[in-house]
Amino acid sequence: MTASLKSLGNASLAAGLLCIGASLTLRDLKAKFALISACTVQRLLIVPLIAWTAALVFGLDKLSLGALVLFAALPTAQSCYVMTTSMGGDAPAVANVTTMQTLSAMLTLPI
């Protein structure tokens, strides 16, 4: 049972990533560049800064602070695209946001 569910989970992640790639368009990226950039800056810079500040305020040890900031600095999950599509939202915009955050995270996570 567990192996079957694990296989289904792995397949659904790959299918979601393929859907995101198929939904990407440069036209939507250009049209909503300000929104996509704002979401990326908020998720990859502002949220980790808030987490870091909160960790200092609450006196977390260095290991806990590092774990908190690391998790706060991760890009949005690819499953948000599937949820947006199923709820009738702006799927191309979410695909662009997800892609921009994932690519940008390659630069921000090492920092």
Side-chain angles (χ1 to χ4, degrees):
M1 179 71 169
T2 304
S4 299
L5 292 176
K6 186 175 181 179
S7 295
L8 282 173
N10 290 337
S12 67
L13 177 62
L17 291 172
L18 287 170
C19 291
I20 289 173
S23 182
L24 290 175
T25 59
L26 287 177
R27 180 180 30 156
D28 284 333
L29 180 63
K30 290 178 185 176
K32 297 178 180 169
F33 188 74
L35 173 67
I36 293 166
S37 298
C39 290
T40 301
V41 168
Q42 175 188 356
R43 181 71 191 139
L44 300 180
L45 297 177
I46 295 173
V47 170
L49 183 61
I50 292 170
W52 181 68
T53 304
L56 292 178
V57 167
F58 290 112
L60 293 181
D61 61 285
K62 289 184 180 184
L63 181 63
S64 299
L65 183 142
L68 178 67
V69 172
L70 179 64
F71 278 101
L74 291 174
T76 190
Q78 285 78 13
S79 60
C80 71
Y81 173 80
V82 176
M83 184 178 67
T84 301
T85 304
S86 67
M87 295 180 73
D90 190 355
V94 172
N96 284 314
V97 167
T98 303
T99 302
M100 180 72 79
Q101 286 184 7
T102 302
L103 293 174
S104 298
M106 290 189 297
L107 299 173
T108 59
L109 277 176
I111 296 171

